[in-house]
Amino acid sequence: MERDGVSPEIEVTVPLELSVEEMIEQSIGRINFTQILQAILVSLPTFFDSQQTFISVFAHAQPTWHCINNTSCTSKSNLCDLPKTNWAWDSVNVHTSIVSEWDLECTSSIFAGMPATSYFVGCLLGGLVLAALGDSSLGRKNLLCISTLVMSLAALASAFSPNIWFYSVFRFLCGVGRAPVAICVLVLLTERVSKRWRAQAAMAGFISFSLGILGLTGIAFLTRGFSWRTLYLWTSVPGIISSVLCYLFLFESPRWLLMQGREKDAMAILRGLGSINSISPSLPKINTEQKLPKTNPFISLKILLSRRWAVKRLLASMLLAFGIGVMYFGMFLGVGNLGFNIYLTSVFNASLSLSSYMLTFLWWIQHCNRRSSLLGFCTLSGATCIIFSVVGKGHLGVVIPLELVSLFCACMAYNLVLMYMVELFPTCVRNSASSLVRQAMILGSVFDPMLVLLGRKSIIYSYGTFGLAMLLCGFLVIWLPETRGKVLCDTMEEQELMDEDGKLSF
C-alpha cells in the first residue's frame, strides 16, 4: 500500500554466498518420494555386484560323489587316491560345477582357485584404473552405468567359456567392470541427501547387496541339478537390464556437477530431488573453490597425494580395509568348508549381513563413534574366528554360533568402514580416496580363494588366517580421526579448516 503518496520501502534480502553443503541442505533437507525412488534405482547395481562376487561359492563348489563297483572305496577315502572307475559324481548332470566339468578335484589350490583369484585381481586393477574417473571426466552416474554393463556382459560371456583359461579371463574382466560399482553407489547415495538422511540413504546400497546374496542362493538352489552355466545366465542378463535403466532414469550427483562448474545442471537436479518450493527460482552464487579440470581424469589423485595429512590418512585407512576385506569376503566364500549345508549356511550369512546393515544405518551410525566401534568389532570378529578355527569343524554346535558372531561383527566393521571413508575425505577427492580404500579391501580378498581351498583340509588355514588379519589391522583405526556428526567437506582447504577447528588432524 502507498501512504501519503509515497511508496513504502521494500526490504530486499540479497542471498549470501553459499557453500555446496549449504545448498544441499537448503534444497533437499527433507526426504521425499523422488529421493526414495532414486535411492532404490542407484542401489540396484549392488544387487548384481554381490551375485558376481559370491557366485563362485556355488559355481566352484566341490560336488558330492559316491563309490561304484569297488568295496575298498568308502565315503572317507581320498578322492585323489582312487581310480576314476571306482567313483562317480552324485548328480546326474556332472557339470554342476567347474570342478566336475574340467576335472579340478585333484589339481593344486593355485590352479583350481585361478578363476576366483582372477576376479578379485580384476577388481583390484579395475579400481586402480577407474577410481579417479568418478571424480573427473565420467562422473558418478556414467561410471556406475558403464561398470555395471561391463560386469554383466563379462558374466554372460563366462557362461559360454570352453575351458578354465577363457573362464578366468572373463572372470577377470567381470572384476574389472565390477570394481567401481560399490563406491559409486555409496557416493551417489550419500551426496544427494542432507546430513540427516545420509546414513539411511547409504543403507539402501548395503541392503541391496545382501538381497543379492539371498537371490543368488535361491537361484543356485533352484538350478542345483543344472549346469553352472545356467547360474551365470540368470544373474547376468538382469544386470545388463539394470545398467540401461540406470542410464535412462538415474540422476547425477549435484555435488559433482557443482564441483565441475555445471551449476545449472546441478540446480535442475536439486529441483527434481527437492520439494517444489525448496529452491528459489534465482540461482545463488555458489562457492566452489576447487573445481577439477576436465582434461586430466586423474587430477583428483594428484590433489589427494599432494597433502601429507591426506596421504597418512589414506594409508591407515587402506591397511584397516585390507584386514576387513580378508575377513569379510573370506567368511562368505568359505561357507563350504564348515561341513554344513551350503545353501542353508549362505542364507544364514546373508540374513545376518542384512540385519547388520539395518542395525548399522538405522541406529549405530547416528549414536556411536566410528573409531571405537570399528576397534571393537574388528577385535571381537578376529578373536572369535581364531577360536572356532582352532576348535575345528567337527564341533558344529560350537563352530556355527561362533562363526555367526564373527561374521556379524565383520559385517558391522565392513559397513562402518565404507561409511567412514566417505566422511574422511572431501568431495573433490572422495570417489578416488574411497575407491583406493575399497581396492585395499579387494586386495585382501585376492588371497581368499586360495585360503578357502587350503581350508578344505583344515579350517585353521583359512579361518585362522582371516581372524589374524582382522585382529592385527583393526588396531590401525586408532590413528584415524573421529567423524561422527561432521558435515561433508567439498575441498581440501575446507577439510583442513574443519580438522584444525575440531582438532582432528591426523
Side-chain angles (χ1 to χ4, degrees):
M1 292 179 59
E2 292 186 358
R3 181 180 301 176
D4 299 328
V6 180
S7 298
E9 293 184 0
I10 300 175
E11 183 179 351
V12 179
T13 302
V14 179
L16 300 175
E17 184 174 317
L18 299 177
S19 69
V20 177
E21 182 69 28
E22 291 168 335
M23 172 56 64
I24 296 292
E25 293 291 333
Q26 173 184 313
S27 59
I28 51 177
R30 299 174 65 181
I31 204 76
N32 57 37
F33 186 67
T34 301
Q35 293 181 37
I36 294 174
L37 286 179
Q38 284 288 305
I40 294 173
L41 184 60
V42 76
S43 61
L44 190 59
T46 58
F47 183 90
F48 304 103
D49 170 22
S50 65
Q51 293 187 342
Q52 294 308 317
T53 300
F54 300 116
I55 197 170
S56 61
V57 171
F58 305 101
H60 303 182
Q62 176 82 44
T64 56
W65 57 278
H66 60 275
C67 298
I68 56 173
N69 303 326
N70 196 303
T71 55
S72 62
C73 172
T74 67
S75 59
K76 296 182 179 180
S77 300
N78 187 338
L79 189 64
C80 300
D81 295 334
L82 298 173
K84 281 277 189 177
T85 56
N86 289 1
W87 62 273
W89 301 113
D90 288 344
S91 176
V92 176
N93 180 5
V94 296
H95 296 160
T96 56
S97 165
I98 67 168
V99 174
S100 55
E101 179 162 349
W102 293 323
D103 299 324
L104 303 178
E105 63 273 7
C106 296
T107 57
S108 67
S109 58
I110 296 177
F111 185 75
M114 182 171 60
T117 301
S118 297
Y119 174 80
F120 287 110
V121 170
C123 292
L124 178 64
L125 297 181
L128 293 174
V129 174
L130 302 176
L133 298 182
D135 282 328
S136 51
S137 57
L138 281 180
R140 281 67 156 135
K141 171 190 170 179
N142 290 334
L143 181 57
L144 176 62
C145 296
I146 293 172
S147 298
T148 306
L149 182 62
V150 172
M151 174 188 72
S152 302
L153 287 175
L156 180 62
S158 299
F160 301 97
S161 303
N163 54 53
I164 192 173
W165 301 106
F166 276 93
Y167 180 63
S168 297
V169 170
F170 290 137
R171 293 305 292 157
F172 173 82
L173 294 176
C174 186
V176 170
R178 175 259 178 186
V181 169
I183 290 300
C184 283
V185 168
L186 183 60
V187 170
L188 265 174
L189 286 169
T190 54
E191 286 187 345
R192 299 190 307 181
V193 296
S194 64
K195 182 177 69 173
R196 176 185 177 187
W197 299 104
R198 195 181 301 155
Q200 290 86 342
M203 183 179 66
F206 289 92
I207 290 177
S208 179
F209 191 86
S210 286
L211 293 177
I213 300 175
L214 287 173
L216 172 66
T217 305
I219 295 171
F221 180 77
L222 294 174
T223 61
R224 63 190 182 281
F226 297 88
S227 170
W228 58 271
R229 301 173 190 271
T230 306
L231 191 58
Y232 274 98
L233 293 175
W234 279 101
T235 55
S236 60
V237 174
I240 296 173
I241 297 173
S242 75
S243 66
V244 176
L245 291 176
C246 287
Y247 181 77
L248 294 175
F249 302 109
L250 188 62
F251 293 165
E252 180 56 272
S253 164
R255 288 179 181 271
W256 178 81
L257 290 171
L258 288 168
M259 296 304 297
Q260 293 291 311
R262 296 166 56 181
E263 285 88 356
K264 291 184 179 180
D265 292 336
M267 291 296 292
I269 289 177
L270 288 175
R271 289 191 177 96
L273 290 172
S275 303
I276 296 176
N277 299 320
S278 61
I279 303 179
S280 171
S282 61
L283 180 66
K285 185 179 180 181
I286 301 172
N287 178 21
T288 52
E289 307 166 16
Q290 192 169 331
K291 297 172 185 176
L292 301 178
K294 299 178 182 179
T295 55
N296 187 354
F298 300 103
I299 189 65
S300 59
L301 286 178
K302 182 178 179 181
I303 294 173
L304 177 65
L305 299 178
S306 65
R307 309 297 176 99
R308 186 169 177 266
W309 65 266
V311 173
K312 290 183 176 181
R313 187 174 295 186
L314 180 65
L315 289 175
S317 302
M318 290 176 69
L319 288 172
L320 170 65
F322 175 85
I324 294 176
V326 172
M327 183 70 166
Y328 179 81
F329 291 100
M331 292 287 283
F332 279 101
L333 293 173
V335 295
N337 292 347
L338 295 176
F340 198 55
N341 183 282
I342 189 173
Y343 301 102
L344 195 56
T345 305
S346 295
V347 169
F348 284 160
N349 287 352
S351 300
L352 202 66
S353 175
L354 184 61
S355 64
S356 75
Y357 297 150
M358 302 291 286
L359 177 61
T360 300
F361 295 103
L362 290 181
W363 188 84
W364 207 278
I365 288 291
Q366 290 89 342
H367 298 91
C368 298
N369 291 340
R370 308 325 188 217
R371 286 196 305 178
S372 56
S373 298
L374 275 170
L375 181 61
F377 286 126
C378 288
T379 302
L380 185 57
S381 178
T384 52
C385 190
I386 292 174
I387 291 171
F388 80 73
S389 68
V390 173
V391 171
K393 63 182 180 180
H395 303 81
L396 289 181
V398 176
V399 169
I400 295 300
L402 288 178
E403 190 268 346
L404 294 177
V405 170
S406 182
L407 177 62
F408 179 79
C409 293
C411 289
M412 292 293 290
Y414 177 84
N415 306 341
L416 287 170
V417 77
L418 290 180
M419 190 68 190
Y420 193 24
M421 296 309 109
V422 170
E423 297 174 341
L424 278 174
F425 300 95
T427 301
C428 62
V429 296
R430 182 172 297 123
N431 209 80
S432 300
S434 299
S435 294
L436 288 173
V437 174
R438 171 78 173 176
Q439 294 322 108
M441 192 177 289
I442 297 301
L443 177 61
S445 67
V446 167
F447 304 99
D448 287 335
M450 289 180 288
L451 291 172
V452 168
L453 290 173
L454 288 173
R456 289 178 179 177
K457 299 177 181 178
S458 174
I459 63 173
I460 197 170
Y461 296 131
S462 54
Y463 285 94
T465 306
F466 302 158
L468 187 61
M470 183 71 146
L471 201 60
L472 294 178
C473 294
F475 286 107
L476 292 170
V477 74
I478 62 177
W479 297 103
L480 294 173
E482 180 56 57
T483 59
R484 179 190 167 199
K486 304 298 180 182
V487 299
L488 292 181
C489 296
D490 295 300
T491 67
M492 301 296 279
E493 289 78 12
E494 288 179 12
Q495 187 73 57
E496 289 168 354
L497 286 174
M498 190 185 76
D499 289 355
E500 182 178 350
D501 293 340
K503 297 181 179 180
L504 290 176
S505 297
F506 182 92

